[in-house]
Amino acid sequence: FALLTALATGVLLFLQICSPLGELLDMLRQMAEQAGVAEGYFGIVLKVIGIAYLSQFASQLCADAGEGAVAAKIELAGKVLIMAISIPVLTEVLHVVLTLV
């Protein structure tokens, strides 16, 4: 029952923070527009943050269930996904650095 309780608690907490999270995302989107950040890059950053939180949550659930090996694999998968998604941003940063040199 402990695993189900942890999962249910996590889902309920997520549902409670959805409204404030939406407001926060709107504020961040406005700030990104004012700073001149391209919409595509902002979307990538949001995806990276989402993957980080979801993989951490899933990893902690597995660790609570006594599945440490599975938790480690989930963390690794999250890191690989983050690297794959952030390639356009890394490429642009590298391009900017190389044009400065």
Side-chain angles (χ1 to χ4, degrees):
F1 289 113
L3 179 61
L4 292 176
T5 303
L7 181 61
T9 302
V11 169
L12 289 174
L13 287 174
F14 177 74
L15 292 175
Q16 290 293 319
I17 65 168
C18 280
S19 178
L21 183 61
E23 294 172 11
L24 176 64
L25 290 176
D26 288 339
M27 184 185 69
L28 290 174
R29 186 170 281 116
Q30 289 174 357
M31 290 173 60
E33 287 175 5
Q34 290 174 352
V37 175
E39 183 70 27
Y41 294 130
F42 183 70
I44 290 172
V45 170
L46 289 180
K47 288 177 188 178
V48 165
I49 292 169
I51 290 171
Y53 281 126
L54 287 175
S55 62
Q56 180 183 7
F57 180 70
S59 173
Q60 288 174 348
L61 278 177
C62 290
D64 289 345
E67 295 293 333
V70 175
K73 304 298 186 288
I74 290 173
E75 288 178 4
L76 177 63
K79 291 173 185 175
V80 170
L81 284 173
I82 287 171
M83 284 299 297
I85 288 177
S86 64
I87 287 175
V89 175
L90 295 174
T91 303
E92 184 64 25
V93 168
L94 182 62
H95 176 71
V96 169
V97 168
L98 290 177
T99 53
L100 292 176
V101 175

PDB file of all heavy atoms in Angstrom, residues 13-32:
ATOM      1  N   LEU A  13      -0.939  15.976  -5.549  1.00  0.00           N
ATOM      2  CA  LEU A  13      -0.140  17.200  -5.431  1.00  0.00           C
ATOM      3  C   LEU A  13       0.057  17.855  -6.793  1.00  0.00           C
ATOM      4  O   LEU A  13      -0.010  19.087  -6.920  1.00  0.00           O
ATOM      5  CB  LEU A  13       1.206  16.902  -4.784  1.00  0.00           C
ATOM      6  CG  LEU A  13       1.169  16.613  -3.290  1.00  0.00           C
ATOM      7  CD1 LEU A  13       2.542  16.180  -2.796  1.00  0.00           C
ATOM      8  CD2 LEU A  13       0.704  17.843  -2.535  1.00  0.00           C
ATOM      9  N   PHE A  14       0.288  17.039  -7.814  1.00  0.00           N
ATOM     10  CA  PHE A  14       0.460  17.582  -9.163  1.00  0.00           C
ATOM     11  C   PHE A  14      -0.811  18.291  -9.610  1.00  0.00           C
ATOM     12  O   PHE A  14      -0.750  19.380 -10.186  1.00  0.00           O
ATOM     13  CB  PHE A  14       0.827  16.471 -10.149  1.00  0.00           C
ATOM     14  CG  PHE A  14       0.948  16.963 -11.557  1.00  0.00           C
ATOM     15  CD1 PHE A  14       2.048  17.706 -11.943  1.00  0.00           C
ATOM     16  CD2 PHE A  14      -0.041  16.698 -12.489  1.00  0.00           C
ATOM     17  CE1 PHE A  14       2.155  18.185 -13.244  1.00  0.00           C
ATOM     18  CE2 PHE A  14       0.061  17.166 -13.779  1.00  0.00           C
ATOM     19  CZ  PHE A  14       1.163  17.912 -14.167  1.00  0.00           C
ATOM     20  N   LEU A  15      -1.953  17.692  -9.355  1.00  0.00           N
ATOM     21  CA  LEU A  15      -3.219  18.320  -9.737  1.00  0.00           C
ATOM     22  C   LEU A  15      -3.436  19.634  -8.987  1.00  0.00           C
ATOM     23  O   LEU A  15      -4.005  20.580  -9.540  1.00  0.00           O
ATOM     24  CB  LEU A  15      -4.379  17.360  -9.489  1.00  0.00           C
ATOM     25  CG  LEU A  15      -4.419  16.123 -10.396  1.00  0.00           C
ATOM     26  CD1 LEU A  15      -5.538  15.184  -9.966  1.00  0.00           C
ATOM     27  CD2 LEU A  15      -4.566  16.523 -11.860  1.00  0.00           C
ATOM     28  N   GLN A  16      -2.972  19.715  -7.755  1.00  0.00           N
ATOM     29  CA  GLN A  16      -3.115  20.936  -6.967  1.00  0.00           C
ATOM     30  C   GLN A  16      -2.240  22.077  -7.479  1.00  0.00           C
ATOM     31  O   GLN A  16      -2.596  23.244  -7.351  1.00  0.00           O
ATOM     32  CB  GLN A  16      -2.788  20.678  -5.491  1.00  0.00           C
ATOM     33  CG  GLN A  16      -3.819  19.834  -4.788  1.00  0.00           C
ATOM     34  CD  GLN A  16      -5.146  20.555  -4.663  1.00  0.00           C
ATOM     35  OE1 GLN A  16      -5.200  21.734  -4.376  1.00  0.00           O
ATOM     36  NE2 GLN A  16      -6.220  19.841  -4.906  1.00  0.00           N
ATOM     37  N   ILE A  17      -1.099  21.733  -8.048  1.00  0.00           N
ATOM     38  CA  ILE A  17      -0.182  22.782  -8.508  1.00  0.00           C
ATOM     39  C   ILE A  17      -0.369  23.138  -9.974  1.00  0.00           C
ATOM     40  O   ILE A  17       0.322  24.018 -10.477  1.00  0.00           O
ATOM     41  CB  ILE A  17       1.288  22.398  -8.252  1.00  0.00           C
ATOM     42  CG1 ILE A  17       1.683  21.184  -9.068  1.00  0.00           C
ATOM     43  CG2 ILE A  17       1.558  22.200  -6.791  1.00  0.00           C
ATOM     44  CD1 ILE A  17       3.168  20.922  -9.097  1.00  0.00           C
ATOM     45  N   CYS A  18      -1.296  22.491 -10.665  1.00  0.00           N
ATOM     46  CA  CYS A  18      -1.491  22.769 -12.092  1.00  0.00           C
ATOM     47  C   CYS A  18      -1.849  24.227 -12.355  1.00  0.00           C
ATOM     48  O   CYS A  18      -1.302  24.840 -13.268  1.00  0.00           O
ATOM     49  CB  CYS A  18      -2.556  21.849 -12.673  1.00  0.00           C
ATOM     50  SG  CYS A  18      -1.930  20.200 -13.040  1.00  0.00           S
ATOM     51  N   SER A  19      -2.754  24.793 -11.586  1.00  0.00           N
ATOM     52  CA  SER A  19      -3.166  26.179 -11.813  1.00  0.00           C
ATOM     53  C   SER A  19      -2.016  27.159 -11.561  1.00  0.00           C
ATOM     54  O   SER A  19      -1.711  27.985 -12.429  1.00  0.00           O
ATOM     55  CB  SER A  19      -4.365  26.519 -10.939  1.00  0.00           C
ATOM     56  OG  SER A  19      -4.733  27.857 -11.116  1.00  0.00           O
ATOM     57  N   PRO A  20      -1.330  27.074 -10.401  1.00  0.00           N
ATOM     58  CA  PRO A  20      -0.187  27.984 -10.207  1.00  0.00           C
ATOM     59  C   PRO A  20       0.930  27.742 -11.224  1.00  0.00           C
ATOM     60  O   PRO A  20       1.608  28.673 -11.638  1.00  0.00           O
ATOM     61  CB  PRO A  20       0.303  27.673  -8.790  1.00  0.00           C
ATOM     62  CG  PRO A  20      -0.838  27.018  -8.115  1.00  0.00           C
ATOM     63  CD  PRO A  20      -1.619  26.331  -9.187  1.00  0.00           C
ATOM     64  N   LEU A  21       1.086  26.504 -11.643  1.00  0.00           N
ATOM     65  CA  LEU A  21       2.117  26.184 -12.625  1.00  0.00           C
ATOM     66  C   LEU A  21       1.793  26.841 -13.965  1.00  0.00           C
ATOM     67  O   LEU A  21       2.687  27.360 -14.638  1.00  0.00           O
ATOM     68  CB  LEU A  21       2.245  24.668 -12.792  1.00  0.00           C
ATOM     69  CG  LEU A  21       3.331  24.171 -13.719  1.00  0.00           C
ATOM     70  CD1 LEU A  21       4.702  24.602 -13.220  1.00  0.00           C
ATOM     71  CD2 LEU A  21       3.270  22.661 -13.836  1.00  0.00           C
ATOM     72  N   GLY A  22       0.522  26.863 -14.331  1.00  0.00           N
ATOM     73  CA  GLY A  22       0.116  27.529 -15.565  1.00  0.00           C
ATOM     74  C   GLY A  22       0.413  29.013 -15.531  1.00  0.00           C
ATOM     75  O   GLY A  22       0.873  29.596 -16.518  1.00  0.00           O
ATOM     76  N   GLU A  23       0.144  29.627 -14.395  1.00  0.00           N
ATOM     77  CA  GLU A  23       0.444  31.052 -14.240  1.00  0.00           C
ATOM     78  C   GLU A  23       1.945  31.314 -14.327  1.00  0.00           C
ATOM     79  O   GLU A  23       2.388  32.288 -14.941  1.00  0.00           O
ATOM     80  CB  GLU A  23      -0.104  31.560 -12.908  1.00  0.00           C
ATOM     81  CG  GLU A  23      -1.609  31.538 -12.815  1.00  0.00           C
ATOM     82  CD  GLU A  23      -2.139  31.852 -11.429  1.00  0.00           C
ATOM     83  OE1 GLU A  23      -1.339  32.289 -10.570  1.00  0.00           O
ATOM     84  OE2 GLU A  23      -3.339  31.659 -11.206  1.00  0.00           O
ATOM     85  N   LEU A  24       2.722  30.434 -13.718  1.00  0.00           N
ATOM     86  CA  LEU A  24       4.176  30.573 -13.775  1.00  0.00           C
ATOM     87  C   LEU A  24       4.683  30.441 -15.209  1.00  0.00           C
ATOM     88  O   LEU A  24       5.537  31.209 -15.650  1.00  0.00           O
ATOM     89  CB  LEU A  24       4.834  29.524 -12.878  1.00  0.00           C
ATOM     90  CG  LEU A  24       6.356  29.475 -12.910  1.00  0.00           C
ATOM     91  CD1 LEU A  24       6.941  30.774 -12.366  1.00  0.00           C
ATOM     92  CD2 LEU A  24       6.864  28.287 -12.127  1.00  0.00           C
ATOM     93  N   LEU A  25       4.139  29.475 -15.939  1.00  0.00           N
ATOM     94  CA  LEU A  25       4.558  29.288 -17.331  1.00  0.00           C
ATOM     95  C   LEU A  25       4.201  30.498 -18.188  1.00  0.00           C
ATOM     96  O   LEU A  25       4.983  30.905 -19.050  1.00  0.00           O
ATOM     97  CB  LEU A  25       3.928  28.025 -17.911  1.00  0.00           C
ATOM     98  CG  LEU A  25       4.455  26.703 -17.355  1.00  0.00           C
ATOM     99  CD1 LEU A  25       3.679  25.541 -17.941  1.00  0.00           C
ATOM    100  CD2 LEU A  25       5.935  26.560 -17.626  1.00  0.00           C
ATOM    101  N   ASP A  26       3.033  31.091 -17.948  1.00  0.00           N
ATOM    102  CA  ASP A  26       2.655  32.292 -18.683  1.00  0.00           C
ATOM    103  C   ASP A  26       3.625  33.436 -18.392  1.00  0.00           C
ATOM    104  O   ASP A  26       4.041  34.154 -19.307  1.00  0.00           O
ATOM    105  CB  ASP A  26       1.234  32.715 -18.326  1.00  0.00           C
ATOM    106  CG  ASP A  26       0.181  31.787 -18.903  1.00  0.00           C
ATOM    107  OD1 ASP A  26       0.492  31.067 -19.878  1.00  0.00           O
ATOM    108  OD2 ASP A  26      -0.949  31.773 -18.371  1.00  0.00           O
ATOM    109  N   MET A  27       3.994  33.592 -17.127  1.00  0.00           N
ATOM    110  CA  MET A  27       4.934  34.637 -16.758  1.00  0.00           C
ATOM    111  C   MET A  27       6.299  34.399 -17.410  1.00  0.00           C
ATOM    112  O   MET A  27       6.913  35.320 -17.948  1.00  0.00           O
ATOM    113  CB  MET A  27       5.102  34.707 -15.238  1.00  0.00           C
ATOM    114  CG  MET A  27       6.001  35.840 -14.780  1.00  0.00           C
ATOM    115  SD  MET A  27       6.318  35.832 -13.016  1.00  0.00           S
ATOM    116  CE  MET A  27       7.333  34.376 -12.859  1.00  0.00           C
ATOM    117  N   LEU A  28       6.767  33.157 -17.387  1.00  0.00           N
ATOM    118  CA  LEU A  28       8.052  32.837 -18.010  1.00  0.00           C
ATOM    119  C   LEU A  28       8.012  33.061 -19.516  1.00  0.00           C
ATOM    120  O   LEU A  28       8.977  33.542 -20.115  1.00  0.00           O
ATOM    121  CB  LEU A  28       8.443  31.391 -17.697  1.00  0.00           C
ATOM    122  CG  LEU A  28       8.844  31.103 -16.256  1.00  0.00           C
ATOM    123  CD1 LEU A  28       9.054  29.608 -16.046  1.00  0.00           C
ATOM    124  CD2 LEU A  28      10.108  31.869 -15.892  1.00  0.00           C
ATOM    125  N   ARG A  29       6.883  32.720 -20.141  1.00  0.00           N
ATOM    126  CA  ARG A  29       6.733  32.932 -21.585  1.00  0.00           C
ATOM    127  C   ARG A  29       6.794  34.426 -21.911  1.00  0.00           C
ATOM    128  O   ARG A  29       7.455  34.829 -22.878  1.00  0.00           O
ATOM    129  CB  ARG A  29       5.417  32.324 -22.060  1.00  0.00           C
ATOM    130  CG  ARG A  29       5.255  32.379 -23.567  1.00  0.00           C
ATOM    131  CD  ARG A  29       4.078  31.555 -24.056  1.00  0.00           C
ATOM    132  NE  ARG A  29       4.487  30.139 -24.069  1.00  0.00           N
ATOM    133  CZ  ARG A  29       3.935  29.183 -23.304  1.00  0.00           C
ATOM    134  NH1 ARG A  29       2.947  29.470 -22.490  1.00  0.00           N
ATOM    135  NH2 ARG A  29       4.355  27.945 -23.379  1.00  0.00           N
ATOM    136  N   GLN A  30       6.146  35.252 -21.102  1.00  0.00           N
ATOM    137  CA  GLN A  30       6.195  36.701 -21.323  1.00  0.00           C
ATOM    138  C   GLN A  30       7.616  37.231 -21.157  1.00  0.00           C
ATOM    139  O   GLN A  30       8.079  38.064 -21.952  1.00  0.00           O
ATOM    140  CB  GLN A  30       5.258  37.421 -20.356  1.00  0.00           C
ATOM    141  CG  GLN A  30       3.799  37.212 -20.645  1.00  0.00           C
ATOM    142  CD  GLN A  30       2.899  37.826 -19.572  1.00  0.00           C
ATOM    143  OE1 GLN A  30       3.389  38.366 -18.583  1.00  0.00           O
ATOM    144  NE2 GLN A  30       1.592  37.732 -19.785  1.00  0.00           N
ATOM    145  N   MET A  31       8.322  36.738 -20.150  1.00  0.00           N
ATOM    146  CA  MET A  31       9.701  37.175 -19.935  1.00  0.00           C
ATOM    147  C   MET A  31      10.592  36.754 -21.094  1.00  0.00           C
ATOM    148  O   MET A  31      11.472  37.509 -21.518  1.00  0.00           O
ATOM    149  CB  MET A  31      10.225  36.609 -18.610  1.00  0.00           C
ATOM    150  CG  MET A  31       9.578  37.232 -17.385  1.00  0.00           C
ATOM    151  SD  MET A  31      10.037  36.433 -15.831  1.00  0.00           S
ATOM    152  CE  MET A  31      11.797  36.654 -15.820  1.00  0.00           C
ATOM    153  N   ALA A  32      10.369  35.553 -21.621  1.00  0.00           N
ATOM    154  CA  ALA A  32      11.162  35.075 -22.751  1.00  0.00           C
ATOM    155  C   ALA A  32      10.897  35.925 -23.989  1.00  0.00           C
ATOM    156  O   ALA A  32      11.825  36.249 -24.739  1.00  0.00           O
ATOM    157  CB  ALA A  32      10.840  33.609 -23.026  1.00  0.00           C
TER     158      ALA A  32
END
